[in-house]
Amino acid sequence: MFPAAGLGTRFLPATKAQPKEMLPLVDKPIIQYGIEEAAAAGIEDIVIVTGRGKNAIEDHFDVSVELETFLEARGKQDQAAEIRSISRSLAYVRQGEPLGLGHAVLTARPLVGDNAFAVILADDVIDATPGALAQMIEVFNEVDGPVLLVERVPREQISGYGVIAYEPVREGVYRVTDLVEKPKPEDAPSELAIIGRYVLTPDIFDALVEEAAAVRSGKVQGEIQLTNGLRRLLARRNVYACEIEGVRHDTGNKLGFLKAVVYFALKRPDLAGPLRAYLEAVVGGKEGPR
Ligand code: UTP
């Protein structure tokens, strides 16, 4: 499940008429990295939670017979094959109003049914081998319970995240004992922050229904948060977290996005050399080579 119905306010004005998930890292939209990660983890059924102004996502993953025929007619078989490989059959569900990530997850409930499922926040682009989700599913099969992905974050940045309190299970795997949303650095129970991947069990939905009711009645202020739903779940069953090997970029903010573009461009043999030379020249205060 890819919740993609947020408004992307941190990236305005670029996201006024264009979903942030469609901003390209080099030549691939952000969400395509996530979809490829899910496919590599063996996930076949994908649902994207969309909202207003997100049609470009559907168009991107649609078949483009015209474009394929055009490329083939010009002998560009490789490009045609690449374009064909992007299109896949995905399901879309609309979140009428952006009432929070927990609400977005709840919106896709009818398509998930009584199955375990993964939530990918496409903004968090993770370069890992094997992919982040594949590593998490391995942990999920081992612990037999929901698994959150966590990353060690410096204390001064921790208030931007949900943070776990934990007991260690083994290296890189933890049993979550509490979850705190956006704590002050001095109140954070650890330096392990929840990042954009979750492997969940279907009982999260009932926890989210309760959370939605609490928000509606005014007992809980603000959005219907997934973290709060997870907190409710924690009272009923074991929830786990894992740290994985990999490099994460938060492409939902401008600096994180720029870093990700440079990171992925420097991994491309066709771009790395000239880009490095250009960056060195710019950083050195010289005009960049043309
Ligand atoms: P963010 O916290 O990044 O919010 O949402 P946002 O609206 O996308 O972006 P900013 O903060 O305004 O710049 C985390 C994830 O949850 C989804 C977003 O699309 C993103 O993948 N989301 C959030 C929804 O699908 N629906 C919501 O109501 C809220």
Side-chain angles (χ1 to χ4, degrees), residues 3-11 20-21 95 98-101 104 121 123 252:
L7 299 177
T9 53
R10 282 170 297 161
F11 229 120
K20 65 175 171 181
E21 294 79 11
Q95 185 189 13
L99 298 178
L101 174 58
L121 305 187
D123 305 14

Side-chain angles (χ1 to χ4, degrees), residues 120-250:
I120 298 192
L121 305 187
D123 305 14
D124 270 337
V125 178
I126 304 175
D127 184 29
T129 314
L133 209 51
Q135 294 189 47
M136 289 177 75
I137 290 172
E138 212 164 285
V139 175
F140 177 84
N141 290 334
E142 175 192 328
V143 297
D144 196 22
V147 178
L148 323 177
L149 187 57
V150 290
E151 186 178 79
R152 216 163 273 282
V153 166
R155 234 166 227 276
E156 60 275 16
Q157 292 168 21
I158 206 100
S159 47
Y161 296 87
V163 181
I164 63 163
Y166 62 85
E167 282 171 3
V169 173
R170 64 165 173 82
E171 207 194 327
V173 180
Y174 310 91
R175 192 177 72 75
V176 178
T177 55
D178 200 5
L179 292 157
V180 189
E181 186 62 27
K182 301 189 169 52
K184 288 189 198 138
E186 61 274 24
D187 298 336
S190 76
E191 291 178 355
L192 291 180
I194 303 169
I195 56 171
R197 303 284 183 279
Y198 309 76
V199 181
L200 300 174
T201 44
D203 46 3
I204 186 63
F205 291 124
D206 282 342
L208 286 170
V209 168
E210 284 168 25
E211 181 60 19
V215 171
R216 242 172 258 128
S217 71
K219 276 192 206 129
V220 173
Q221 298 295 314
E223 297 192 325
I224 301 165
Q225 295 287 0
L226 178 58
T227 311
N228 288 348
L230 286 166
R231 217 157 176 249
R232 288 176 187 272
L233 195 60
L234 207 56
R236 290 169 217 165
R237 68 173 303 153
N238 283 341
V239 173
Y240 298 88
C242 76
E243 261 180 295
I244 56 138
E245 298 284 320
V247 178
R248 175 184 71 102
H249 289 99
D250 175 8

Side-chain angles (χ1 to χ4, degrees), residues 17-67:
Q18 176 185 214
K20 65 175 171 181
E21 294 79 11
M22 287 303 296
L23 298 174
L25 298 180
V26 188
D27 52 9
K28 248 189 333 191
I30 286 170
I31 193 165
Q32 197 180 326
Y33 287 82
I35 299 273
E36 287 174 1
E37 182 186 321
I43 291 177
E44 288 167 6
D45 300 318
I46 291 177
V47 50
I48 304 185
V49 183
T50 64
R52 277 166 57 106
K54 300 281 182 170
N55 294 350
I57 299 179
E58 295 188 35
D59 291 343
H60 180 71
F61 292 109
D62 206 356
V63 178
S64 177
V65 179
E66 259 174 49
L67 187 57

